[in-house]
Amino acid sequence: SLYNEAFEKLTKAIELGANYYDLACHYSLRNNKEKALELLEQVLKNDEISISHIETDEDWDNLKEDNDFKELIKKYKKES
């Protein structure tokens, strides 16, 4: 499918040094919470994107009420 082709290209771009944030968003949109949060934490550890951006990004709407998502955001809000 076109979606899978886009995913493969995004994965290749990350292997070549692109930001993990887009891939984390992809997993969020596909309802793969575990992988989405794993990659999001990597992004936050590397300070690649602001918490405020994540909080307003519609790609995370399906997880914004999730306790694990909230805890992750809370953890990195304290550190910033």
Side-chain angles (χ1 to χ4, degrees), residues 39-67:
L39 289 169
L40 182 59
E41 182 156 27
Q42 185 70 35
V43 168
L44 290 168
K45 277 183 189 174
N46 294 336
D47 200 26
E48 294 175 16
I49 201 151
S50 69
I51 295 288
S52 61
H53 178 82
I54 296 165
E55 290 176 324
T56 59
D57 190 336
E58 293 176 2
D59 289 353
W60 297 100
D61 283 355
N62 61 323
L63 291 177
K64 286 180 180 169
E65 297 304 316
D66 180 84
N67 285 333

Side-chain angles (χ1 to χ4, degrees), residues 3-78:
Y3 200 86
N4 287 336
E5 185 179 331
F7 175 71
E8 288 172 17
K9 288 182 180 191
L10 179 58
T11 303
K12 184 66 174 171
I14 287 170
E15 288 171 7
L16 298 172
N19 187 312
Y20 281 99
Y21 185 71
D22 290 330
L23 188 56
C25 289
H26 164 80
Y27 281 115
S28 174
L29 290 169
R30 301 294 282 178
N31 292 312
N32 186 334
K33 174 184 145 181
E34 184 179 327
K35 194 69 175 167
L37 294 182
E38 175 187 321
L39 289 169
L40 182 59
E41 182 156 27
Q42 185 70 35
V43 168
L44 290 168
K45 277 183 189 174
N46 294 336
D47 200 26
E48 294 175 16
I49 201 151
S50 69
I51 295 288
S52 61
H53 178 82
I54 296 165
E55 290 176 324
T56 59
D57 190 336
E58 293 176 2
D59 289 353
W60 297 100
D61 283 355
N62 61 323
L63 291 177
K64 286 180 180 169
E65 297 304 316
D66 180 84
N67 285 333
D68 294 329
F69 177 83
K70 289 180 181 179
E71 286 298 314
L72 184 61
I73 295 300
K74 185 174 160 184
K75 174 183 174 183
Y76 285 92
K77 264 188 174 176
K78 289 180 182 177

